[in-house]
């Protein structure tokens, strides 16, 4: 087998199309073709995007980043029991190597914008505490706002139960008697819920509206789409510039 064909078999197997043996069989049956009719044993990396399997364009190549409109009722951790956000993606995506992981998590009861990627460096850039990529949440509360939330959250002195350092200043905006928008620059465990609990309130609805300047747009609950370079630029648009030790954009 040519080097190009060996590489192609590996790529398709890592995208979840089957074991290497099964992929070889697919190629042998003529199920793998190139949209421009190029011979498979001469393809270079740049040509792989135009491959088709059973006449369907192949899945996005490694380096995939996508956004999902996470509905409530789904968990982000691979280890969790019950429905996972991965079940909302094409079944083959669960077989991909490297695997897709969420860049930060949303609780099972939280809906909204979730980013997933198989690119470890990108994942690190999104969740890195040094970049402070802002995350914006819409919050529904059980009790009326007290009036001092903006000041308490902006203070940089709020210490949550069990934490050893105070929270970074967060931006609070009241949207109604029991509704608010909160923008965080860090991502601690159940942070929004714990912040309101610290002020004696209780979060009954939580939705992430934006990461950086990237919003869900008209993406329906449960739906996903691949991110392009413009989307990724929006994620980092308002973040702190990279330090020399951070991976390049
Ligand atoms: N804060 C929370 O409490 N939950 C989330 O899912 C995200 C932020």
């Amino acid at each position: 087998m040519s080097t190009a064909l060996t590489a192609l078999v590996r790529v398709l197997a890592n995208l979840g199309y089957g074991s290497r043996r099964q992929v070889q069989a697919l190629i042998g049956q003529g199920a793998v073709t190139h949209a421009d009719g190029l011979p498979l044993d001469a393809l270079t990396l740049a040509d792989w995007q135009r491959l088709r399997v059973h006449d369907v364009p192949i899945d996005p190549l490694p380096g995939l980043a996508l956004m999902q409109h996470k509905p409530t009722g789904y968990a982000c951790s691979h280890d969790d029991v019950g429905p996972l956000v991965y079940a909302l993606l094409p079944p083959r995506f669960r077989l991909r190597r490297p695997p897709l992981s969420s860049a930060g998590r949303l609780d099972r009861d939280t809906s909204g914008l979730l980013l997933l990627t198989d690119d470890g460096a990108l994942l690190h850039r999104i969740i890195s505490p040094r970049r402070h990529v802002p995350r914006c949440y819409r919050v529904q509360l059980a009790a009326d706002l007290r009036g001092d939330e903006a000041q308490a959250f902006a203070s940089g002195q709020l210490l949550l139960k069990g934490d050893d350092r105070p929270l970074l200043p967060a931006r609070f905006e009241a949207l109604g008697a029991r509704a608010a928008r909160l923008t965080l620059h860090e991502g601690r465990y159940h942070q929004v819920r714990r912040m309101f609990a610290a002020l004696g309130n209780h979060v009954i609805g939580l939705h992430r509206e934006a990461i950086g300047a990237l919003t869900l747009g008209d993406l329906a609950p449960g739906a996903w789409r691949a991110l392009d370079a413009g989307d990724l630029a929006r994620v980092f648009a308002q973040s702190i510039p990279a330090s020399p030790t951070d991976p390049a954009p």
Side-chain angles (χ1 to χ4, degrees), residues 66-71 106 110-116 136 138 206-225 227 231 234:
L66 60 88
M67 66 192 245
Q68 184 186 72
H69 185 159
K70 178 193 173 299
L106 289 176
T110 301
S111 60
L113 176 58
L114 183 69
L115 303 184
L116 297 110
C136 178
R138 210 175 55 234
L206 186 56
H207 176 84
R208 183 152 68 195
E209 293 184 321
I211 298 179
L214 182 69
T215 58
L216 282 165
D218 55 9
L219 199 65
W224 67 277
R225 71 167 176 82
L227 299 182
D231 295 318
R234 280 187 275 284

Side-chain angles (χ1 to χ4, degrees), residues 70 76 105-111 135 137 182 184 186-195 203 206-208:
K70 178 193 173 299
C76 292
R105 292 179 183 171
L106 289 176
D107 309 336
R108 190 184 289 279
D109 296 332
T110 301
S111 60
R135 290 148 174 85
Y137 296 87
L182 188 62
L184 306 182
E186 58 189 331
R188 301 194 198 179
Y189 179 71
H190 287 184
Q191 183 170 341
V192 175
R193 295 175 197 278
R194 290 164 68 219
M195 286 171 75
V203 172
L206 186 56
H207 176 84
R208 183 152 68 195

Side-chain angles (χ1 to χ4, degrees), residues 56-138:
V56 178
I58 66 160
D59 294 343
L61 294 173
L64 171 62
L66 60 88
M67 66 192 245
Q68 184 186 72
H69 185 159
K70 178 193 173 299
T72 57
Y74 289 81
C76 292
S77 164
H78 284 284
D79 308 325
D80 232 306
V81 286
L84 303 183
V85 291
Y86 301 96
L88 298 167
L89 301 174
R92 198 168 38 238
F93 279 21
R94 266 170 281 166
L95 306 173
R96 291 173 67 103
R97 291 288 171 271
L100 280 168
S101 300
S102 65
R105 292 179 183 171
L106 289 176
D107 309 336
R108 190 184 289 279
D109 296 332
T110 301
S111 60
L113 176 58
L114 183 69
L115 303 184
L116 297 110
T117 181
D118 61 9
D119 178 339
L122 174 62
L123 190 139
H124 175 77
R125 282 178 65 212
I126 297 170
I127 63 175
S128 166
R130 279 181 300 171
R131 278 187 181 262
H132 305 304
V133 173
R135 290 148 174 85
C136 178
Y137 296 87
R138 210 175 55 234

